[in-house]
């Protein structure tokens, strides 16, 4: 079911496999960084609780590493957002009956008039 998260939308829009691979790759990278951050935070907390000067000094480097990891996660999410937006724009250009997006990113629906 995880692989089906982006496979279709209510307006019938389909994302191509390359876009899905990019999403999956970025989500895996984000999860790996978040797992690493959890370990860093645990080590920082242990060093802080120990009150040993060398351990407290080591925390400076660990906190810098944690901050860099957080920046990487933010960048990956920004890339995901851009990729998703480009994908949706390309998809709505290819299907004139699909919903479109206003400049604020919110979907609008287009109604077709049926002849009686």
């Amino acid at each position: 079911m995880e692989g089906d998260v982006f496979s279709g939308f209510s307006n019938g829009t389909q994302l191509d496999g390359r876009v899905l691979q990019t999403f999956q790759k970025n989500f895996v990278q984000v999860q790996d960084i978040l797992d690493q951050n959890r370990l860093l935070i645990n080590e920082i907390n242990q060093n802080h609780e120990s009150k040993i000067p060398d351990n407290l000094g080591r925390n400076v480097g660990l906190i810098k590493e944690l901050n860099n990891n957080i920046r990487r996660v933010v960048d990956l999410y920004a890339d995901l957002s851009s990729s998703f937006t480009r994908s949706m724009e390309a998809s709505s250009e290819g299907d004139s009956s699909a919903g479109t997006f206003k400049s604020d990113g919110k979907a609008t629906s287009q109604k077709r008039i049926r002849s009686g």
Side-chain angles (χ1 to χ4, degrees), residues 30-43:
V30 165
Q31 189 59 55
D32 289 345
I33 294 169
L34 294 177
D35 290 342
Q36 184 181 6
N37 284 357
R38 185 175 352 95
L39 296 174
L40 285 170
I41 291 168
N42 287 339
E43 186 174 349

Side-chain angles (χ1 to χ4, degrees), residues 8-66:
F9 296 94
S10 60
N11 66 0
T13 302
Q14 297 290 319
L15 295 179
D16 66 30
R18 189 185 42 170
V19 173
L20 290 174
Q21 287 176 344
T22 300
F23 286 149
Q24 184 170 357
K25 184 184 95 174
N26 281 6
F27 282 126
V28 167
Q29 286 179 316
V30 165
Q31 189 59 55
D32 289 345
I33 294 169
L34 294 177
D35 290 342
Q36 184 181 6
N37 284 357
R38 185 175 352 95
L39 296 174
L40 285 170
I41 291 168
N42 287 339
E43 186 174 349
I44 291 166
N45 286 335
Q46 289 171 357
N47 289 345
H48 181 73
E49 290 170 3
S50 77
K51 299 197 184 337
I52 297 170
D54 286 344
N55 290 351
L56 294 174
R58 178 165 161 66
N59 274 358
V60 173
L62 294 174
I63 290 169
K64 285 180 182 179
E65 185 178 349
L66 182 65

Side-chain angles (χ1 to χ4, degrees), residues 87-101:
S87 167
M88 293 306 295
E89 287 170 350
S91 177
S92 42
E93 287 171 6
D95 181 7
S96 61
S97 66
T100 60
F101 286 82

Side-chain angles (χ1 to χ4, degrees), residues 50-84:
S50 77
K51 299 197 184 337
I52 297 170
D54 286 344
N55 290 351
L56 294 174
R58 178 165 161 66
N59 274 358
V60 173
L62 294 174
I63 290 169
K64 285 180 182 179
E65 185 178 349
L66 182 65
N67 285 335
N68 287 333
N69 285 352
I70 291 169
R71 278 190 208 95
R72 287 174 51 207
V73 168
V74 169
D75 290 344
L76 286 167
Y77 276 125
D79 290 347
L80 278 169
S81 177
S82 296
S83 294
F84 184 76

